């Protein structure tokens, strides 16, 4: 008969073996050079909860030394994000978003329908030329194909340079599901985003729309 400690030894690797954002370095991540060593989140690969939306709560670090931007991106430039981890859960669908208001709203700059995440792949997107200059939050969100119905979200502080005055308010807001709001993704299916935005990479044309009150 297994003891509790033995069971935990076997279960913990699977509980934490998901994916996380490796570039740009997310807020309060152990690999972020601005992170306070005593507060680093070593469980970064866990899914987000409704209480932890957005950014696992780490958007509150903006304006502090731990929330200093880690990259400067020019408006209109092509950038990318990369992911780390070992369990892609059959892949799924992701979005790249930017918040210009400290995490109150996130606007989608690119949606990836199927094929995301993928280990070792750089996912490209264009920083809209309308983006405002100044500090911003970049967010990666993921809805897994296999396993429990979950939502993953990591955020990084960045600076936008050479931006415009319009901002990103015309772009769709980030998609939310599997957070107890009644909107859920379909098991064993890649997610077809209801409002993916103007820039969409479709890897799986058989992706499924979410179910429930999804807005």
């Amino acid at each position: 008969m297994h003891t509790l400690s033995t069971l935990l030894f076997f279960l913990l690797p699977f509980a934490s073996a998901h994916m996380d954002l490796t570039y740009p370095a997310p807020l309060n991540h152990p690999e972020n050079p601005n992170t306070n060593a005593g507060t680093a989140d070593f469980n970064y690969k866990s899914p987000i909860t409704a209480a932890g939306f957005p950014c696992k709560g780490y958007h509150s670090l903006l304006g502090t030394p731990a929330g200093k931007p880690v990259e400067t991106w020019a408006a209109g430039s092509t950038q990318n994000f990369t992911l780390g981890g070992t369990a892609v859960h059959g892949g799924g669908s992701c979005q790249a978003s930017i918040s210009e208001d400290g995490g109150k709203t996130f606007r989608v700059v690119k949606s990836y329908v199927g094929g995301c995440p993928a280990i070792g792949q750089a996912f490209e997107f264009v920083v809209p030329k309308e983006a405002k200059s100044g500090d911003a939050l970049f967010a990666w969100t993921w809805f897994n194909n296999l396993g429990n119905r979950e939502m993953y979200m990591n955020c990084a502080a960045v600076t936008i340079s050479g931006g415009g005055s319009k901002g990103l308010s015309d772009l769709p807001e980030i998609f939310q599901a599997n957070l107890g709001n009644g909107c859920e993704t379909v098991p064993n299916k890649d997610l077809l985003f209801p409002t993916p935005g103007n820039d969409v990479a479709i890897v799986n044309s058989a992706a499924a729309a979410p179910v429930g009150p999804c807005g």
Side-chain angles (χ1 to χ4, degrees), residues 59-159:
H59 61 298
S60 62
L61 294 173
L62 294 177
T64 74
K68 288 169 52 179
V70 291
E71 299 293 338
T72 297
W73 293 342
S77 67
T78 298
Q79 300 295 335
N80 70 79
F81 64 87
T82 57
L83 306 167
T86 58
V88 298
H89 289 278
S93 298
C94 303
Q95 287 186 315
S97 306
I98 292 175
S99 174
E100 299 177 313
D101 55 13
K104 295 178 182 178
T105 60
F106 287 83
R107 301 292 176 169
V108 179
V109 296
K110 188 165 184 175
S111 293
Y112 309 80
V113 179
C116 181
I119 299 171
Q121 178 178 339
F123 290 85
E124 291 190 344
F125 61 93
V126 175
V127 179
K129 61 182 180 181
E130 299 85 5
K132 295 178 181 178
S133 295
D135 292 346
L137 275 173
F138 169 79
W140 162 70
T141 47
W142 167 39
F143 297 91
N144 51 303
N145 183 311
L146 302 178
N148 296 330
R149 298 299 83 203
E150 296 169 333
M151 178 178 178
Y152 296 79
M153 183 180 196
N154 296 170
C155 300
V158 299
T159 297

